[in-house]
């Protein structure tokens, strides 16, 4: 939790530590101006022959003479691309846990094969980055200013001079949108987005979404609260900026959240509560931030937490505020929440 405590003074830091992303707590493809299309018709051909270009969610077009081979990406973006068959050379962002295992945001990647430029907030080894001879840098964005996630503000100018960059926005939109954009990015890099595996993964996601919609409709009385824990603060998330919570709400999930005037202090992301006030918002089901920078439910020792009706009833599940943006990884998020709502008892 040292990361959470050290970064809580800045908005982006709070986002990274778990508070605002839930969050948290805090591209049309080349030549295609229709964001719903999922990429240009000749993306696969371009990926084979080059040159390469991609219009990202900043409205900026990244261009290279050939399809990028030396890709450097935020860990979660790299994990999503890996699910589509695209591998990167270097990553930045949560990649390894303290015991050397893969972080939850690393997905199915073999992290031993990756050059890790920085594992924590504020870390980015520019010398290692330059040595990789990067063709492109890829990340997500959690604001409307085009700030690339986990690229340090103080060194971004030096970093972004070394290679073109592209960002996928996960700010104030529902989950299907960035999933489409990530798929378009993968396609531009050479992924076969029409493969049986990918087509089935998208179908499974849509099936899971309908299951969650049905569960929410059948159990409208079940109140769901999204939380994130640090040593001194319990964060209660608002739903209007996070890709997962916005989508859950659109599917009918009864989300408990602070009023807009309270959320305003964090830019709309969350309200921070002392542990003495953790019962401020009654809930039947609590979905907790699963990132390694946050304290997990099993490790929370606060008596006020243990007295919460949802906790006593065992109705606490994980939540992924920074989802790996592939259909394969996002489907379990929907199914897990649907199952929890289906089985939940009214306790609040």
């Amino acid at each position: 939790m040292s990361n959470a405590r050290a970064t809580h003074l800045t908005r982006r830091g709070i986002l990274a530590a778990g508070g605002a992303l839930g969050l948290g707590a805090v591209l049309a493809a080349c030549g295609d101006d229709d964001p719903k299309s999922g990429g240009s018709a000749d993306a696969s051909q371009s990926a084979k022959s080059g040159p390469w270009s991609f219009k990202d969610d900043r409205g900026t077009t990244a261009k290279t003479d050939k399809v990028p081979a030396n890709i450097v990406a935020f860990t979660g973006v790299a994990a999503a691309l890996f699910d589509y068959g695209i591998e990167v050379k270097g990553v930045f962002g949560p990649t390894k846990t303290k015991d050397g295992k893969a972080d939850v945001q690393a997905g199915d990647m073999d992290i031993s094969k990756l050059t890790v430029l920085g594992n924590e907030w504020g870390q980015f080894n520019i010398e290692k980055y330059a040595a990789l001879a990067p063709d492109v840098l890829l990340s997500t964005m959690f604001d409307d200013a085009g700030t690339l996630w986990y690229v340090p503000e103080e060194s971004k100018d030096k970093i972004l001079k070394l290679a073109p960059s592209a960002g996928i926005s996960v700010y104030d939109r529902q989950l299907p949108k960035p999933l489409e954009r990530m798929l378009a990015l993968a396609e531009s890099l050479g992924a076969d987005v029409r493969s049986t595996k990918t087509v089935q993964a998208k179908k499974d996601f849509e099936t899971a979404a309908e299951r969650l919609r049905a569960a929410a409709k059948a159990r409208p009385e079940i109140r769901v609260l999204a939380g994130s824990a640090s040593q001194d603060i319990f964060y209660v998330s608002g739903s209007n900026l996070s890709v997962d919570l916005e989508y859950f709400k659109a599917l009918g999930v009864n989300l408990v959240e602070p009023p807009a005037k309270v959320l305003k202090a964090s830019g709309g992301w969350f309200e921070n509560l002392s542990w003495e006030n953790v019962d401020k918002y009654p809930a039947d089901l609590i979905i907790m931030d699963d990132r390694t920078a946050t304290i997990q439910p099993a490790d929370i020792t606060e008596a006020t937490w243990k007295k919460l009706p949802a906790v006593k009833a065992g109705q606490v599940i994980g939540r992924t505020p920074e989802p790996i943006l592939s259909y394969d990884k996002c489907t379990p998020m929907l199914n897990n929440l649907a199952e929890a709502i289906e089985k939940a008892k009214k306790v609040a």
Side-chain angles (χ1 to χ4, degrees), residues 112-251:
S112 68
K113 297 180 179 180
L114 301 171
T115 298
V116 181
L117 305 177
N119 197 60
E120 297 181 5
W121 183 256
Q123 295 179 349
F124 195 110
N125 191 311
I126 300 177
E127 289 73 23
K128 280 188 177 182
Y129 178 56
L132 289 173
D135 293 323
V136 68
L137 180 147
L138 307 172
S139 191
T140 48
M141 301 181 295
F142 282 94
D143 60 29
D144 56 5
T147 305
L148 295 176
W149 192 231
Y150 266 80
V151 175
E153 281 292 315
E154 62 273 15
S155 54
K156 67 176 183 180
D157 292 340
K158 291 181 180 180
I159 293 169
L160 297 180
K161 283 180 180 178
L162 295 175
S165 63
I168 300 293
S169 179
V170 287
Y171 175 75
D172 194 16
R173 60 200 60 202
Q174 296 177 26
L175 184 57
K177 181 62 177 179
L179 281 171
E180 291 172 4
R181 305 298 291 127
M182 189 62 72
L183 186 66
L185 176 59
E187 182 179 20
S188 78
L189 294 169
D192 179 6
V193 300
R194 296 170 184 81
S195 69
T196 300
K197 178 182 176 181
T198 297
V199 171
Q200 186 60 52
K202 187 173 183 180
K203 288 181 179 178
D204 290 343
F205 176 84
E206 292 168 348
T207 299
E210 288 308 310
R211 179 185 178 183
L212 180 54
R213 188 194 304 275
K217 184 177 181 180
R219 303 296 307 281
E221 75 280 8
I222 299 301
R223 305 181 68 184
V224 180
L225 180 145
S228 184
S230 70
Q231 182 172 331
D232 302 314
I233 297 172
F234 182 78
Y235 302 92
V236 178
S237 301
S239 66
N240 289 330
L241 300 178
S242 301
V243 291
D244 62 330
L245 298 184
E246 280 203 14
Y247 192 44
F248 296 164
K249 185 167 64 174
L251 292 173

Side-chain angles (χ1 to χ4, degrees), residues 294-305:
T294 68
I295 299 177
Q296 296 306 299
D299 299 319
I300 299 175
T301 59
E302 301 290 340
T304 49
W305 163 262

Side-chain angles (χ1 to χ4, degrees), residues 313-335:
Q315 296 179 174
V316 179
I317 65 170
R319 174 196 167 217
T320 305
E322 291 187 61
I324 294 172
L325 295 171
S326 71
Y327 291 104
D328 180 69
K329 292 298 184 294
C330 288
T331 296
M333 292 167 45
L334 304 182
N335 278 325

